[in-house]
């Protein structure tokens, strides 16, 4: 059973556009929701994370929107750049325990 | 610099052979994880360890084994029983619940790509 469901599987966006990736979860005990960015042949790196006591977190061009009642969270990339082309994973965990990852979204930003 | 080191980066194995992937961390993290990554399937958990001398099976543990004799090291052995071992393997670590973890951040190594010939 997939604990975290992620969509879309792939996304193509024009440079300067907004990229939006969505995730949904079931376990209400999750208390940490990170997004990871992965470039080909590299390990994932933490991009931004949120806890369920806030509805939005912004870091530069990256924003997480969190809807606790709907059990959904999303990543918004504003002013998308070709350098943002990568695979993005959402995840959920109970702090200090194992992580559950979405299946990933391959983002391509066209110049 | 603190981080996670995985080796080798590339590994080729003949069918029927066991291979061991190394993972070392100097972040003083209690918790360590092994994930397998296949195209379109995301990250699937193989094994994880919350503390030295203890580890738990993840979702796809069959055909794999691990040990956790030292805090810094969590090697993964891919045995001949693993039917389709060709994949990208990722090791990760974070502060564990016994460390009073508050951030939850998971740090990854650069990965090891295993190819079966």
């Amino acid at each position: 059973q997939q604990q975290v469901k992620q969509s879309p599987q792939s996304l193509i966006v024009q440079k300067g556009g907004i990229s939006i990736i969505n995730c949904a979860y079931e376990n209400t005990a999750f208390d940490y929701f990170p997004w990871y960015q992965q470039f080909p042949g590299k390990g994932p790196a933490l991009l931004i994370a949120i806890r369920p006591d806030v509805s939005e977190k912004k870091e530069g061009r990256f924003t997480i929107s969190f809807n606790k009642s709907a059990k959904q969270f999303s990543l918004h990339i504003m002013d998308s750049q070709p350098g943002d082309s990568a695979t993005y994973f959402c995840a959920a965990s109970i702090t200090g325990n194992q992580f559950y990852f979405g299946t990933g979204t391959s983002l391509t930003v066209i110049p | 610099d603190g981080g996670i080191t995985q080796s080798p980066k590339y590994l080729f194995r003949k069918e029927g052979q066991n291979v061991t992937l190394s993972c070392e961390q100097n972040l003083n993290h209690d918790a360590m994880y092994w994930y397998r990554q296949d195209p379109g399937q995301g990250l699937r958990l193989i094994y994880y360890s919350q503390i030295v001398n203890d580890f738990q099976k993840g979702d796809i543990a069959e055909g794999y084994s691990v040990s956790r004799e030292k805090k810094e090291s969590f090697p993964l052995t891919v045995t001949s029983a693993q039917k389709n071992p060709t994949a990208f393997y990722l090791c990760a670590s974070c502060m564990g619940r016994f460390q009073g973890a508050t951030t939850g951040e998971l740090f990854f190594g650069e990965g090891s790509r295993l190819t079966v010939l």
Side-chain angles (χ1 to χ4, degrees):
Chain A
Q1 181 186 2
Q2 190 75 25
Q3 294 270 358
V4 178
K5 296 181 179 179
Q6 183 173 347
S7 64
Q9 186 173 352
S10 63
L11 183 61
I12 300 174
V13 173
Q14 293 277 0
K15 179 182 175 181
I18 302 174
S19 304
I20 302 174
I21 305 170
N22 300 299
C23 285
Y25 65 97
E26 286 297 324
N27 189 346
T28 55
F30 289 142
D31 64 359
Y32 180 70
F33 300 88
W35 284 90
Y36 282 84
Q37 180 188 55
Q38 184 182 29
F39 293 104
K42 301 293 187 182
L46 179 67
L47 186 62
I48 187 172
I50 198 168
R51 293 202 180 270
D53 52 348
V54 298
S55 60
E56 186 176 282
K57 183 173 182 181
K58 184 176 181 179
E59 290 184 2
R61 296 184 294 108
F62 301 92
T63 300
I64 299 179
S65 296
F66 187 84
N67 186 329
K68 190 174 181 178
S69 60
K71 293 187 284 186
Q72 295 175 347
F73 59 111
S74 59
L75 175 69
H76 296 236
I77 305 175
M78 311 300 287
D79 187 28
S80 298
Q81 299 295 313
D84 297 331
S85 297
T87 299
Y88 293 81
F89 293 97
C90 62
S93 77
I94 301 170
T95 301
N97 290 279
Q98 65 170 296
F99 291 72
Y100 297 90
F101 286 86
T103 50
T105 296
S106 175
L107 172 65
T108 303
V109 180
I110 300 171
Chain B
D1 283 38
I4 300 176
T5 301
Q6 288 187 241
S7 62
K9 191 169 178 64
Y10 299 97
L11 185 61
F12 298 90
R13 189 194 92 172
K14 293 181 180 179
E15 285 194 21
Q17 284 183 333
N18 292 354
V19 294
T20 298
L21 307 181
S22 170
C23 178
E24 302 278 332
Q25 55 99 357
N26 60 3
L27 299 167
N28 197 37
H29 287 163
D30 272 351
M32 296 188 74
Y33 304 80
W34 274 106
Y35 291 92
R36 169 176 171 147
Q37 186 173 21
D38 297 282
Q41 296 199 47
L43 303 176
R44 293 185 291 167
L45 182 64
I46 305 172
Y47 269 97
Y48 65 102
S49 169
Q50 289 283 354
I51 202 162
V52 174
N53 293 322
D54 184 61
F55 49 83
Q56 306 295 327
K57 292 182 179 181
D59 300 320
I60 57 166
E62 185 176 351
Y64 299 97
S65 66
V66 293
S67 63
R68 186 83 189 277
E69 297 176 0
K70 298 187 301 180
K71 185 175 185 175
E72 302 79 14
S73 179
F74 191 40
L76 173 74
T77 296
V78 184
T79 75
S80 56
Q82 169 49 234
K83 296 286 185 276
N84 183 22
T86 294
F88 189 53
Y89 291 88
L90 287 161
C91 179
S93 74
C94 70
M95 290 181 67
R97 59 176 180 263
F98 300 114
Q99 291 180 297
T102 56
T103 64
E105 182 175 355
L106 192 62
F107 293 81
F108 284 89
E110 291 282 273
S112 293
R113 184 167 298 281
L114 172 63
T115 302
V116 173
L117 303 174

